[in-house]
Amino acid sequence: MITCEDENATLTSLQNTSLADPSITFIPNIRVKSPSCISTRGKQDDATYKDIQTVTIDIEKTKPRFRFIELFAGIGGFRVALDAIGGRTVFASEIGDAARFTYVSNFGRERICGSNGQERDVLVGDITEVETKDIPEHDVLTAGFPCQSFCKVGDRTALNDERGELFFEVVRVLKGKKPKAFILENVANLVTMEDGRVFGIIKGHLEDAGYTHSAFSYPSTPTTPPPLLRSILTQDPPPPSLLLTTHQLSKLKESYTFKKNPLWRIANVNGRARTLMSSYKSGYVMYSEFVRVSMDGAEENGVLDEEAEKEFSKLTADSETSQNTEIKKVKTESGDERALTLRFYSPRECARIMGFPESYRLDHVKNEGTLYHQLGNAVCPPVVEAIARRVIEALEL
Ligand SMILES: C[S@@+](CC[C@H](N)C(=O)[O-])C[C@H]1O[C@@H](n2cnc3c(N)ncnc32)[C@H](O)[C@@H]1O
């Protein structure tokens, strides 16, 4: 949580806070409250959003509790969270066509009519091309600035490459627009890399812009107790296309983590879902987690009953016997025989685990890979919502 100095914010040192905080819980079916969020239902083409109907919002008439902007908006994870507590996006910037298409498919193609009677698009592209004066006044700035240069996996160039440098776009807008508060999101490695030096520089720039701040490290998925995780996984059986290929399965079995503890790689692990990476499916050996596939109809949707669960645990707890998760032949819908025991999470399951509401549209994109990437890049709306709620209360908005 990061708030502005002159709004009674407290500067708390960096701390590791877990989701043990009872106010931060997984909230299924939170709804996107935007009136236009379902205005584009039925669109199936992921090539363009130009023909999605435009909705004009008169911001003065809608009188939101607070106004916010989203820099590096992605698919609008911040918006899902802040809409739910009465906020209204007045500006969003996202450079990627595919992410913009998902965004407008969910929130509509909006234009905002301001107090001066002028209309402008809510969602724009490259933030580096937007002048500060063209960004509307807002109470809260949100941004998930690109994380590639801060990730553990990658070249860790920090602020010294063109992706890392985008952090300075955040600073530019903070200095120019002086919102009451801001909420930023990035990878955990950002705070530890180079023994905290990089984060120190970032904090320095935020302080220089006139803000105090608190930093929290939260898991990127909400805490999901076992029954809830079961229900996340058991709706909408996913298509057979999600079954691991024989090659993927054999690679997975060779991998260090699967040999060490196969259950780590399978859904329903201690009832806690873990982070989804954007390279989720393609990086199956490194990142992916899986759901078991029914061999005999007993676990149709990939979740075992309690007895079977114990049995499976016995099989897989011991690295030597992990071979016992033997490959069996299953018939796919098309009648092909495939030798598989595991499947990937479906995009909808990923969205559920990340805390996106059921009303969040995924059906507009044909390419599953695009969805894994977008969901893996997104924030968890329930986590952001819980943090933002406190910020808004502290600001008495
Ligand atoms: C970590 S993701 C943010 C995800 C977002 N918080 C969400 O919940 O979906 C960073 C996003 O920044 C976008 N981006 C990168 N450079 C940009 C730029 N110059 N202008 C606008 N967006 C940019 C990327 O396309 C990516 O979608």
Side-chain angles (χ1 to χ4, degrees):
M1 180 173 75
I2 306 174
T3 56
C4 179
E5 194 168 31
D6 48 349
E7 295 291 339
N8 301 325
T10 48
L11 176 62
T12 314
S13 60
L14 177 67
Q15 48 187 285
N16 258 340
T17 310
S18 78
L19 282 176
D21 180 341
S23 71
I24 302 175
T25 50
F26 182 88
I27 306 162
N29 296 325
I30 53 172
R31 312 305 290 183
V32 178
K33 292 204 176 132
S34 161
S36 54
C37 75
I38 53 166
S39 65
T40 56
R41 278 194 189 284
K43 192 84 181 58
Q44 284 289 330
D45 176 8
D46 54 351
T48 175
Y49 64 83
K50 296 271 187 289
D51 49 345
I52 291 180
Q53 192 198 339
T54 302
V55 183
T56 302
I57 313 289
D58 185 336
I59 191 73
E60 298 306 328
K61 279 199 188 136
T62 49
K63 291 195 175 38
R65 183 178 178 195
F66 64 98
R67 301 176 190 201
F68 65 96
I69 68 167
E70 302 163 272
L71 305 182
F72 313 105
I75 59 171
F78 275 109
R79 179 161 179 173
V80 172
L82 272 61
D83 273 0
I85 54 173
R88 160 34 86 178
T89 304
V90 291
F91 174 87
S93 159
E94 169 52 51
I95 202 170
D97 286 342
R100 280 212 305 274
F101 182 60
T102 296
Y103 188 100
V104 295
S105 296
N106 278 281
F107 304 107
R109 193 163 171 227
E110 296 177 324
R111 288 176 68 74
I112 281 225
C113 177
S115 49
N116 57 4
Q118 274 186 343
E119 272 190 30
R120 48 180 176 67
D121 285 331
V122 170
L123 180 63
V124 302
D126 187 347
I127 188 62
T128 63
E129 293 180 359
V130 182
E131 287 189 46
T132 312
K133 69 173 175 46
D134 294 331
I135 298 176
E137 301 305 316
H138 51 278
D139 302 301
V140 180
L141 175 151
T142 69
F145 52 102
C147 59
Q148 290 92 334
S149 57
F150 307 111
C151 283
K152 272 189 184 156
V153 182
D155 44 17
R156 304 191 211 181
T157 45
L159 296 163
N160 306 318
D161 78 1
E162 58 188 27
R163 295 160 308 182
E165 274 174 10
L166 288 168
F167 164 71
F168 295 107
E169 292 298 311
V170 175
V171 177
R172 167 174 72 95
V173 180
L174 287 175
K175 284 186 169 169
K177 306 308 292 191
K178 294 269 179 246
K180 297 185 175 77
F182 60 86
I183 304 172
L184 308 182
E185 168 266 337
N186 212 278
V187 289
N189 199 46
L190 174 76
V191 293
T192 50
M193 75 188 304
E194 295 182 23
D195 294 326
R197 196 186 66 83
V198 173
F199 192 55
I201 295 172
I202 285 177
K203 287 196 294 187
H205 284 288
L206 296 175
E207 283 156 20
D208 185 46
Y211 291 83
T212 58
H213 47 79
S214 303
F216 300 91
S217 180
Y218 284 109
S220 2
T221 49
T223 304
T224 35
L228 189 52
L229 185 53
R230 261 159 214 254
S231 77
I232 286 170
L233 293 171
T234 49
Q235 302 161 48
D236 299 339
S241 65
L242 296 175
L243 295 174
L244 271 70
T245 63
T246 310
H247 172 70
Q248 287 169 333
L249 186 60
S250 64
K251 280 282 176 208
L252 173 72
K253 284 181 151 189
E254 284 165 19
S255 74
Y256 172 75
T257 49
F258 193 82
K259 276 190 185 145
K260 194 162 173 238
N261 188 344
L263 281 182
W264 288 356
R265 308 302 297 271
I266 296 170
N268 206 11
V269 185
N270 303 327
R272 185 182 277 262
R274 299 191 306 169
T275 308
L276 298 169
M277 308 287 283
S278 56
S279 45
Y280 170 67
K281 193 171 172 184
S282 57
Y284 54 88
V285 174
M286 274 181 81
Y287 308 125
S288 303
E289 291 175 79
F290 309 96
V291 179
R292 292 175 289 270
V293 172
S294 171
M295 294 299 145
D296 55 9
E299 46 152 343
E300 273 176 20
N301 297 310
V303 178
L304 296 168
D305 64 24
E306 263 176 44
E307 277 312 299
E309 186 77 72
K310 277 188 213 145
E311 211 37 51
F312 189 85
S313 305
K314 266 193 268 161
L315 277 178
T316 51
D318 174 349
S319 61
E320 292 308 308
T321 58
S322 66
Q323 328 268 13
N324 288 342
T325 53
E326 66 184 2
I327 300 172
K328 295 181 186 173
K329 298 269 181 203
V330 287
K331 274 215 159 128
T332 64
E333 264 171 22
S334 60
D336 300 337
E337 279 216 325
R338 297 175 81 180
L340 299 160
T341 53
L342 299 173
R343 68 163 173 81
F344 294 101
Y345 288 148
S346 69
R348 175 56 69 190
E349 287 166 343
C350 290
R352 287 182 186 136
I353 289 167
M354 295 292 284
F356 277 80
E358 291 296 298
S359 58
Y360 194 89
R361 288 196 61 193
L362 303 172
D363 59 332
H364 60 296
V365 176
K366 290 174 194 150
N367 180 351
E368 274 162 13
T370 303
L371 291 171
Y372 287 122
H373 182 79
Q374 293 177 348
L375 288 162
N377 260 348
V379 290
C380 286
V383 174
V384 173
E385 185 188 325
I387 294 167
R389 200 178 282 283
R390 298 233 181 129
V391 173
I392 297 308
E393 282 166 11
L395 296 175
E396 297 180 356
L397 289 173

